[in-house]
Amino acid sequence: MTQAINKKSVVDRPMSGIFFQGMAAMFKIRDWLRPRGVLLDEIPLKVGDTVLDWGCGPGSYIPELATRVGQNGAVIAVDIHPLAMQRVGTLAKRRGLCNIKLSLTDGVHLPDLVDSSIDVALLFDVFHMLGDQEGVLREIYRILRPGGVLAVNDPHMDQDDLAARVTRSGQFKLVKRGAHSFTFTPISGPYTEGAA
Ligand SMILES: C[S@@+](CC[C@H](N)C(=O)[O-])C[C@H]1O[C@@H](n2cnc3c(N)ncnc32)[C@H](O)[C@@H]1O
């Protein structure tokens, strides 16, 4: 497991530690009521994929993602909060997950990731918190491979507004409006629903 420390944000700052711990406790109840796999069922993830979870928080999606991509795939857990890295690191160790990488972002950039290196990127329940939404979308566009998938959900936003904010940069087109998330693909990519 590797942990990259990137430069500090000029836009977003980590929430307080106590707030993060409270959020993590609430997510335990949320995840017990509705296991996260239900939301991942509508994402076209394959064995061997490299999937990035931007705003991973305490890691609710991480074990399920690790299982779905398998030993030959990779899960990159990205967050602005050091406590998120700590919790996901502990989770990975405890469950013996060897395909997890940790990446502490400045909130917009992931300089340790090369262009077109990611198959699937998740932005789950984080879009409303992004100070520089366009900057994050630009960074995801850079690291996503042509034909890759960007899956977005955010229960805190108007759903039409959320979809419009992702597409208006001209970098992503909407492929599918699912029950829990929107699926996009980079504009230049050959992705069509069901093909990925
Ligand atoms: C509401 S939580 C959602 C966590 C997880 N995605 C889930 O749905 O269970 C949002 C997370 O995004 C992180 N976050 C906020 N702004 C961020 C940014 N600009 N870049 C990366 N992570 C960010 C927060 O630290 C927090 O852990």
Side-chain angles (χ1 to χ4, degrees), residues 44-51 68-70 72-75 119-120 145 196:
L45 268 174
K46 297 191 301 297
V47 170
D49 274 352
T50 296
V51 56
R68 290 184 188 215
V69 300
N72 295 327
V75 181
D119 299 295
V120 178
R145 69 165 169 79

Side-chain angles (χ1 to χ4, degrees), residues 151-173:
V152 183
N153 91 0
D154 202 318
H156 301 284
M157 290 179 67
D158 173 83
Q159 297 305 289
D160 291 334
D161 181 42
L162 174 61
R165 281 171 187 260
V166 177
T167 52
R168 77 177 172 204
S169 68
Q171 297 171 114
F172 296 97
K173 73 172 177 229

Side-chain angles (χ1 to χ4, degrees), residues 55-66:
C56 62
S60 295
Y61 292 91
I62 300 297
E64 191 64 38
L65 289 171

Side-chain angles (χ1 to χ4, degrees), residues 6-169:
N6 301 322
K7 61 186 177 181
K8 287 276 173 256
S9 177
V10 287
V11 182
D12 293 336
R13 287 178 197 287
M15 62 184 84
S16 71
I18 193 123
F19 196 88
F20 186 91
Q21 302 291 12
M23 179 186 78
M26 276 174 22
F27 282 171
K28 271 199 178 155
I29 300 169
R30 178 199 69 176
D31 300 348
W32 178 73
L33 289 172
R34 177 178 282 174
R36 298 295 93 188
V38 175
L39 283 81
L40 294 179
D41 283 346
E42 46 186 48
I43 315 300
L45 268 174
K46 297 191 301 297
V47 170
D49 274 352
T50 296
V51 56
L52 178 139
D53 184 6
W54 190 305
C56 62
S60 295
Y61 292 91
I62 300 297
E64 191 64 38
L65 289 171
T67 303
R68 290 184 188 215
V69 300
Q71 296 285 336
N72 295 327
V75 181
I76 305 176
V78 174
D79 206 282
I80 199 171
H81 210 302
L83 278 177
M85 301 293 93
Q86 205 180 303
R87 287 185 79 119
V88 174
T90 305
L91 182 70
K93 241 185 232 156
R94 213 178 49 227
R95 300 211 186 183
L97 304 171
C98 306
N99 53 356
I100 313 288
K101 288 182 188 169
L102 307 176
S103 189
L104 183 67
T105 178
D106 66 353
V108 183
H109 304 102
L110 292 172
D112 51 317
L113 293 185
V114 299
D115 296 359
S116 306
S117 55
I118 303 295
D119 299 295
V120 178
L122 306 186
L123 274 173
F124 273 15
D125 195 9
V126 65
F127 206 81
H128 68 284
M129 298 179 89
L130 301 177
D132 183 359
Q133 295 172 343
E134 285 179 18
V136 170
L137 289 172
R138 257 196 316 277
E139 187 68 338
I140 290 177
Y141 183 83
R142 179 185 72 76
I143 59 178
L144 208 53
R145 69 165 169 79
V149 173
L150 167 62
V152 183
N153 91 0
D154 202 318
H156 301 284
M157 290 179 67
D158 173 83
Q159 297 305 289
D160 291 334
D161 181 42
L162 174 61
R165 281 171 187 260
V166 177
T167 52
R168 77 177 172 204
S169 68

